[in-house]
Amino acid sequence: NYQNDERLNSKAEDVFHLKAGETNKLSPEEFVDYYMQLTGKISGTNQKRIFSVLQSSGKEIGFVYPATRSRFKYFALSGGLTAFLVRLYLAKKDLPYAFVDDFIKYLETDYGIYIRKCSKTEKLVSKYKIRVTQQEFSRNEQALLETLDQVNCLIRLSDSGYIVTLPEKKGEFKLL
């Protein structure tokens, strides 16, 4: 879309540190950072740009809601995607059960999906001047727990202790 946009090409050369005919290998993190710098300098907000990139593919995998043509959309893990990630996590760890806290850390480290407030999210929101309150992170975590419960992958141990498991293994869990 931008092949003939001289203004964009000029900014892309500056942001990505490119010269005509050169290539530059970037890690995914560097690319995202440069992309955010590039699109934020041209027009619109970074949040809108991220959304436009992920909107079509996000609908297909259950990451963008609602999937209709609604004006207001948000990112969320669908039940199917959540159950798949639980299965994948437990298979990688070769475990029948795991603590929700460990599962959340797995989402952060392996997929960059941040449910809770942490130093990484603090840096990101301050860097891109996005305001996210602690209450919103708490609601985010509660929504994950509700989704895990809906797909029958959650066992509640106490008010603050939860275990993730496969739905077919849920009845076999015994607290020692």
Side-chain angles (χ1 to χ4, degrees), residues 6-164:
E6 289 180 28
R7 192 175 112 220
L8 178 66
N9 289 338
S10 171
K11 295 227 184 255
E13 287 172 4
D14 292 342
V15 169
F16 287 99
H17 311 290
L18 292 173
K19 301 277 186 240
E22 291 182 0
T23 60
N24 188 3
K25 286 195 169 212
L26 302 171
S27 70
E29 292 80 9
E30 290 172 316
F31 178 78
V32 168
D33 188 40
Y34 289 156
Y35 178 80
M36 296 294 286
Q37 291 176 36
L38 174 67
T39 58
K41 290 179 181 178
I42 296 167
S43 66
T45 67
N46 288 331
Q47 291 172 339
K48 288 180 184 175
R49 293 291 179 170
I50 291 172
F51 176 72
S52 67
V53 170
L54 292 175
Q55 183 176 4
S56 59
S57 60
K59 282 182 195 176
E60 293 172 14
I61 63 169
F63 202 61
V64 175
Y65 288 92
T68 62
R69 296 180 61 122
S70 170
R71 181 176 176 212
F72 300 103
K73 297 193 181 285
Y74 58 94
F75 296 103
L77 290 174
S78 68
L81 184 56
T82 303
F84 172 77
L85 290 170
V86 167
R87 287 182 182 281
L88 188 61
Y89 171 69
L90 294 174
K92 280 184 174 182
K93 299 291 183 182
D94 196 26
L95 297 169
Y97 314 100
F99 288 106
V100 168
D101 291 345
D102 296 333
F103 176 64
I104 289 174
K105 286 177 188 165
Y106 163 75
L107 293 176
E108 291 173 358
T109 56
D110 283 27
Y111 295 100
I113 298 172
Y114 292 90
I115 307 295
R116 297 176 174 158
K117 190 174 192 173
C118 64
S119 60
K120 178 89 173 183
T121 56
E122 284 288 319
K123 289 176 190 172
L124 288 172
V125 296
S126 64
K127 182 176 183 175
Y128 298 112
K129 298 175 180 82
I130 303 168
R131 190 176 160 276
V132 183
T133 67
Q134 177 59 45
Q135 293 158 335
E136 290 171 308
F137 278 109
S138 295
R139 284 197 309 257
N140 203 31
E141 187 173 351
Q142 187 59 40
L144 175 67
L145 293 174
E146 289 171 9
T147 301
L148 286 166
D149 191 41
Q150 288 171 356
V151 295
N152 211 19
C153 289
L154 186 72
I155 298 171
R156 182 179 175 163
L157 299 176
S158 67
D159 288 344
S160 60
Y162 298 94
I163 298 244
V164 291

Side-chain angles (χ1 to χ4, degrees), residues 161-173:
Y162 298 94
I163 298 244
V164 291
T165 188
L166 303 175
E168 59 271 15
K169 296 281 187 185
K170 190 170 179 181
E172 297 175 16
F173 181 79

